[in-house]
Amino acid sequence: MIRLEGLYKSFGAKEVLRGLDLEIGKGESRVVIGGSGSGKSVILKHIIGILRPDKGKVFINDADITVLRDRELYEIRKKFGMLFQMAALFDSMNVWENVGFALTRHRKMKLSDIREIAIEKLKMVGLVGVENLMPSELSGGMKKRVGLARAIAHEPEILLYDEPTTGLDPITADAINELIVEMRERLSVTSVAITHDMNSAYKIADRISMLYEGKIIETGTPEEIRDTGNPVVRQFITGSAVGPIKVEGVSNEKHFNRA
Amino acid sequence: MTKLIENLGRTIISFTAELGRIIMLLLETIKQTFIPPYEIRNTFVQMLEIGIRSLPVVLVTAVFTGMVFALQTYTGFKRFGAESVVGTVVALSMTRELGPVLTGLIVAGRAGAAMAAELGTMRVTEQIDALETLATNPVKYLIVPRFISGLTMLPAVTIVADIIGIIGGYVVTVGIFHTSSVVYWKRTWDFLEASDIYNGLIKACFFGGSIALVSCYRGFYTSGGAEGVGKATTGAVVLSSMTILISDYFLSNWLFR
């Protein structure tokens, strides 16, 4: 379904991806873990084609999207839904307009029908009666839910989650995890999440891959990862400052989020 | 000395690179303008923002500029008995120069700043990436409507500014200095040519396009959080104002000589 082959990407002098390979099967829920600034977001942005690799290929359903023209790429993107770290709701639109955005743009539907669908999707993510609110009136957890409703509104085949639980309290974070599991079961989508929250990773993943120094160094089921012998993975999942992973005090992932 | 040359070289390179990126964005904007579906609703929203909402402050500026121009010209020209041509001076300077330039500067400060701040915020909060993931080209969705609105609304607002400025001049010349109303209008119409008006509007059109392009460029490529948005906004206003003032000379040299 999704296959990344030998991906290289640099931003200025900083080499973020160094020959990364990753394969995700249809219907699978994959979580990529890795430290801040390790290039996790960059992987997601390559999968959906916002970034183009310096070298390497990105296959979606066996089509290499790195060689597509813009227009074909936008067609492929209709298969995707993405939940952003800070939800990235359009703050000039109210909640239902946000959720129905893709439908308004790409399907010839009446606004009243789109509003109905938006309300239904909001209900799926556990929100009722918020459709006319503006994003600024919502809490962090609610924004994420609206972001998720927007991501699923056009019934995508692939869902991407960028740090779905970051910035949420533990209870809200767990509710979002539950929702992600539920989405996979109800919609039978393929999903890729990136996170450094191990609770979240164990909960939502079929398989977990660890990104380190621009490559995937290990992939396994949550149990396999938990019992890993790899010292780097071990250090990461136990959250220790001591070990082979160097703590980079100055790295800032935000720098790499820009296209 | 080597340091100086190094710095000079670096400035030239970054300036050229920036100019190149602006031109690339312009070409992409033009291309996206002609690819359906057309952003009609968004364009009207921006026209309202750039055109109609700028009107009050443009009108105040224009009326007072017309008035002070009449005042200064009248008192100055009186020294050699040429006070009858005040109407001509006000009309020519409003249509050829002050109408487009002042309107441009005001719209740069108002709408240009707003565009850079809005797009910049959208960039740093990943809303522009979100547009991409929802299969929507952000240049088409965000920049095309602003660019078209700049191109069309600036001339429209400029016409109003021209008229209001001339009326402001009339109020001072006739109302305060008691010159004959007939003389004011006759002098205005006798020497005002259609080319004064439409060449002024061509300038306005260029200014409108530049403001939108430069401000959108600054906003679209913002980085670095809230501080970055602030910088983008200031940068947009400074760069559009400079573009207006500098290009004004060259456009005038080309259009009015």
Side-chain angles (χ1 to χ4, degrees):
Chain A
M1 183 95 198
I2 302 170
R3 199 165 80 242
L4 312 183
E5 275 181 18
L7 233 48
Y8 284 85
K9 183 73 181 177
S10 301
F11 296 92
K14 172 106 181 164
E15 248 191 332
V16 180
L17 302 182
R18 303 175 196 172
L20 176 130
D21 295 306
L22 184 66
E23 191 167 352
I24 298 156
K26 194 169 165 54
E28 185 187 343
S29 172
R30 176 71 62 91
V31 172
V32 178
I33 56 172
S36 301
S38 62
K40 302 190 298 296
S41 296
V42 176
I43 297 181
L44 284 192
K45 287 180 181 179
H46 276 95
I47 294 177
I48 198 165
I50 296 177
L51 291 176
R52 285 184 196 251
D54 298 336
K55 215 170 98 185
K57 292 183 164 72
V58 178
F59 292 96
I60 306 295
N61 289 338
D62 296 321
D64 181 4
I65 65 162
T66 58
V67 296
L68 292 183
R69 300 165 66 88
D70 272 2
R71 191 178 282 214
E72 298 162 322
L73 193 57
Y74 281 112
E75 277 310 307
I76 295 269
R77 290 212 184 120
K78 291 178 186 169
K79 293 182 199 291
F80 285 91
M82 180 158 172
L83 174 60
F84 285 84
Q85 195 172 345
M86 296 299 172
L89 301 179
F90 303 124
D91 39 33
S92 58
M93 295 173 204
N94 68 23
V95 166
W96 80 260
E97 287 167 334
N98 260 288
V99 175
F101 186 84
L103 301 176
T104 319
R105 299 283 304 176
H106 307 304
R107 310 236 176 115
K108 288 194 169 62
M109 291 172 77
K110 278 194 294 188
L111 274 184
S112 56
D113 294 342
I114 291 175
R115 189 168 183 276
E116 285 305 308
I117 294 176
I119 290 172
E120 181 200 320
K121 301 291 175 188
L122 285 165
K123 212 164 156 188
M124 276 181 77
V125 299
L127 291 174
V128 176
V130 298
E131 61 273 10
N132 292 322
L133 297 180
M134 296 305 283
S136 56
E137 297 173 273
L138 305 174
S139 70
M142 283 163 94
K143 278 185 190 161
K144 286 250 163 119
R145 284 171 191 261
V146 175
L148 185 54
R150 181 176 71 181
I152 60 171
H154 53 291
E155 287 160 7
E157 298 167 32
I158 302 166
L159 275 175
L160 306 178
Y161 301 94
D162 185 356
E163 312 248 359
T165 56
T166 301
L168 299 178
D169 66 76
I171 296 167
T172 313
D174 195 54
I176 295 289
N177 289 335
E178 295 280 356
L179 209 52
I180 293 173
V181 173
E182 197 186 323
M183 285 304 125
R184 191 192 59 194
E185 283 164 3
R186 281 176 69 173
L187 309 171
S188 58
V189 289
T190 307
S191 58
V192 186
I194 57 166
T195 188
H196 47 236
D197 171 359
M198 287 315 297
N199 288 329
S200 173
Y202 291 140
K203 188 145 192 168
I204 63 183
D206 292 329
R207 287 200 294 167
I208 297 174
S209 297
M210 165 99 192
L211 173 70
Y212 182 66
E213 292 187 332
K215 284 179 187 163
I216 298 296
I217 54 164
E218 185 155 332
T219 295
T221 62
E223 292 72 35
E224 286 165 356
I225 291 290
R226 205 172 308 193
D227 304 328
T228 182
N230 186 319
V232 175
V233 181
R234 174 106 247 123
Q235 185 195 350
F236 187 83
I237 62 173
T238 55
S240 164
V242 187
I245 305 177
K246 293 178 287 293
V247 179
E248 270 189 275
V250 288
S251 69
N252 181 353
E253 201 172 20
K254 273 283 151 200
H255 283 306
F256 309 124
N257 283 341
R258 274 203 38 225
Chain B
M1 189 64 192
T2 14
K3 194 116 192 157
L4 193 75
I5 295 171
E6 262 175 32
N7 283 336
L8 184 70
R10 207 169 292 138
T11 314
I12 291 173
I13 288 171
S14 73
F15 174 78
T16 318
E18 182 145 11
L19 191 66
R21 282 195 296 268
I22 294 179
I23 291 170
M24 296 284 280
L25 186 64
L26 173 66
L27 295 178
E28 178 68 14
T29 306
I30 293 171
K31 181 180 141 200
Q32 292 298 336
T33 306
F34 294 103
I35 298 176
Y38 305 108
E39 303 289 339
I40 294 165
R41 189 175 167 272
N42 273 335
T43 308
F44 277 114
V45 170
Q46 290 305 321
M47 283 181 161
L48 188 74
E49 192 53 48
I50 296 171
I52 312 299
R53 301 242 159 88
S54 297
L55 265 181
V57 55
V58 169
L59 293 190
V60 172
T61 312
V63 75
F64 278 96
T65 307
M67 283 165 72
V68 78
F69 228 72
L71 178 90
Q72 295 283 28
T73 333
Y74 186 90
T75 49
F77 280 23
K78 199 165 189 268
R79 294 178 189 163
F80 47 92
E83 61 267 40
S84 65
V85 296
V86 171
T88 315
V89 174
V90 172
L92 286 186
S93 34
M94 282 310 295
T95 53
R96 294 169 74 137
E97 194 55 45
L98 293 172
V101 172
L102 289 176
T103 308
L105 291 175
I106 287 164
V107 171
R110 237 193 113 267
M115 283 182 218
E118 189 178 358
L119 266 59
T121 307
M122 289 186 77
R123 169 63 75 191
V124 299
T125 56
E126 296 187 305
Q127 290 178 53
I128 291 182
D129 286 338
L131 279 175
E132 295 258 16
T133 66
L134 294 162
T136 299
N137 185 315
V139 171
K140 183 178 189 57
Y141 184 75
L142 296 171
I143 301 183
V144 168
R146 287 168 171 80
F147 185 66
I148 293 177
S149 306
L151 280 184
T152 51
M153 290 318 277
L154 211 76
V157 177
T158 299
I159 290 191
V160 183
D162 290 351
I163 295 169
I164 297 294
I166 292 170
I167 293 175
Y170 173 86
V171 168
V172 169
T173 323
V174 177
I176 297 175
F177 294 117
H178 305 297
T179 310
S180 144
S181 158
V182 178
V183 170
Y184 185 87
W185 289 125
K186 190 169 163 26
R187 290 292 175 172
T188 302
W189 292 125
D190 278 357
F191 294 103
L192 190 66
E193 289 170 17
S195 66
D196 294 323
I197 298 170
Y198 67 69
N199 283 337
L201 297 183
I202 291 175
K203 289 210 284 191
C205 195
F206 181 86
F207 296 158
S210 321
I211 294 167
L213 183 68
V214 164
S215 308
C216 287
Y217 165 77
R218 274 298 162 99
F220 200 72
Y221 293 106
T222 299
S223 62
E227 194 193 348
V229 175
K231 276 188 187 153
T233 310
T234 326
V237 176
V238 172
L239 195 57
S240 354
S241 306
M242 287 295 128
T243 310
I244 290 170
L245 294 171
I246 294 170
S247 64
D248 180 45
Y249 173 80
F250 293 99
L251 285 169
S252 302
N253 190 33
W254 170 54
L255 291 164
F256 290 112
R257 242 165 52 151

